[in-house]
């Protein structure tokens, strides 16, 4: 029988923050390492300090709980890894893991960046309508509808500012040119396809009361379930059908 070799890694540096991009291959190893860094305040070569007064900044993206691959059922995504990390941290410390920032879908920043890239590809010309196509109600559709809500609020605020300026005839009211706005589009329509996580036979979560449980809402812990945000503007079979739909909607002859 071969002897068991145990390697002890000594860290000579201190971590300032933790950035989580996607689900790892060896979950148990990465869970252990992240917890080591969190409970030693960035010095994993030291012993745990479960009662630390502060927590290292944690930034995470890619919050999909599930995703589709070749298997007939959905696979665990990075959102599931975050769920495990949150559970382990809460079990060991009695506190909730706090995030400095959550990026990727469905965050507004992600859709603002997407619009920025689309405008660059369109020679910096203004976009009036954006179509967001995806297969996950809790990330793709939630984010697209949240962005559409943001665009509507921004448009309303600009109109209110213009009306106020006209009413007072004030030269001090300065409005930002639309070409300089981060979000200048008027609408963002959500389109869900049936070739991924979305199951057209499953009912949409419509109960916004406390009866909605974590089993129903597959979004991240820090997201608030709003029934309107997980209701797609359009449901189509696949991406090809989605492209046909948006071309028809825009009455394009391409």
């Amino acid at each position: 029988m071969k002897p068991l070799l145990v390697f002890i890694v000594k860290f000579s540096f201190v971590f300032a923050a933790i950035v989580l991009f996607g689900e790892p291959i060896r979950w148990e190893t990465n869970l252990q390492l992240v917890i080591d860094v969190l409970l030693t305040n960035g010095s994993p070569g030291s012993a745990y300090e479960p009662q630390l007064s502060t927590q290292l900044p944690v930034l995470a993206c890619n919050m999909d709980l599930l995703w589709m691959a070749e298997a007939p059922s959905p696979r665990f995504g990075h959102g599931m890894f975050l769920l495990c990390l949150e559970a382990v941290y809460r079990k060991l410390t009695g506190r909730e893991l706090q995030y400095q920032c959550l990026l990727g879908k469905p965050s507004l920043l992600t859709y603002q960046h997407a619009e920025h890239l689309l405008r660059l590809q369109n020679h910096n010309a203004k976009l009036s309508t954006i179509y967001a196509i995806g297969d996950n109600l809790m990330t793709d559709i939630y984010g697209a509808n949240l962005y559409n809500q943001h665009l509507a609020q921004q448009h309303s605020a600009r109109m209110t500012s213009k009306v106020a300026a006209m009413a007072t005839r004030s030269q001090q009211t300065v409005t930002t040119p639309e070409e300089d706005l981060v979000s200048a589009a008027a609408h963002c329509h959500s389109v869900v396809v049936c070739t991924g996580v979305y199951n057209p036979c499953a009912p949409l979560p419509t109960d916004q009361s406390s009866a909605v449980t974590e089993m129903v809402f597959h979004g991240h812990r820090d997201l608030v379930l709003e029934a309107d945000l997980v209701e797609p503007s359009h449901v189509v079979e696949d991406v090809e059908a989605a492209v046909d739909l948006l071309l028809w909607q825009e009455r394009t002859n391409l």
Side-chain angles (χ1 to χ4, degrees):
M1 184 175 180
K2 294 182 179 180
L4 178 64
L5 298 179
V6 179
F7 295 92
I8 300 177
V9 180
K10 293 186 177 180
F11 293 89
S12 59
F13 53 87
V14 176
F15 291 88
I18 297 173
V19 182
L20 303 169
F21 289 105
E23 67 271 18
I25 295 176
R26 297 179 60 185
W27 284 35
E28 74 288 351
T29 300
N30 285 273
L31 277 173
Q32 181 74 69
L33 289 173
V34 174
I35 289 295
D36 286 350
V37 173
L38 282 170
L39 297 190
T40 59
N41 201 29
S43 302
S46 307
Y48 281 0
E49 298 181 45
Q51 301 306 317
L52 287 169
S53 58
T54 60
Q55 179 204 295
L56 281 181
V58 177
L59 296 84
C61 62
N62 190 10
M63 293 171 277
D64 293 61
L65 191 74
L66 303 168
W67 64 285
M68 286 301 295
E70 297 299 323
S73 299
R75 305 293 88 187
F76 292 164
H78 191 220
M80 194 69 76
F81 178 78
L82 297 179
L83 185 64
C84 293
L85 176 62
E86 293 159 11
V88 173
Y89 185 83
R90 183 171 58 249
K91 190 71 173 179
L92 292 177
T93 67
R95 302 189 303 273
E96 295 291 344
L97 179 68
Q98 302 300 318
Y99 294 94
Q100 185 83 4
C101 188
L102 288 171
L103 298 173
K105 297 176 295 186
S107 72
L108 286 176
L109 184 61
T110 298
Y111 289 83
Q112 289 174 327
H113 181 61
E115 180 181 347
H116 171 69
L117 294 180
L118 288 172
R119 288 172 64 185
L120 289 179
Q121 293 181 18
N122 198 36
H123 307 290
N124 210 34
K126 177 190 173 184
L127 301 170
S128 60
T129 305
I130 296 173
Y131 292 87
I133 304 169
D135 71 314
N136 194 320
L137 295 179
M138 300 301 170
T139 52
D140 304 318
I141 304 306
Y142 188 110
N145 290 337
L146 184 65
Y147 193 54
N148 187 59
Q149 188 180 88
H150 166 73
L151 293 175
Q153 292 171 349
Q154 180 177 261
H155 176 73
S156 177
R158 288 206 304 268
M159 293 302 296
T160 301
S161 177
K162 289 180 180 179
V163 170
M166 292 175 62
T168 60
R169 295 185 178 181
S170 172
Q171 299 300 318
Q172 298 178 354
T173 303
V174 179
T175 58
T176 305
E178 291 189 347
E179 59 269 18
D180 293 336
L181 291 171
V182 176
S183 307
H187 306 284
C188 180
H189 297 309
S190 57
V191 183
V192 69
V193 295
C194 302
T195 51
V197 173
Y198 173 68
N199 180 3
C201 298
L204 290 172
T206 56
D207 185 0
Q208 300 184 59
S209 68
S210 58
V212 177
T213 65
E214 192 173 359
M215 294 180 62
V216 175
F217 183 48
H218 289 171
H220 186 265
R221 177 200 70 188
D222 293 351
L223 299 178
V224 178
L225 174 60
E226 295 182 33
D228 292 343
L229 295 182
V230 293
E231 180 75 45
S233 305
H234 305 279
V235 179
V236 296
E237 181 61 30
D238 51 29
V239 173
E240 182 179 4
V243 173
D244 289 341
L245 169 71
L246 68 91
L247 291 177
W248 172 255
Q249 290 286 109
E250 298 300 317
R251 302 297 193 271
T252 300
N253 295 320
L254 297 178

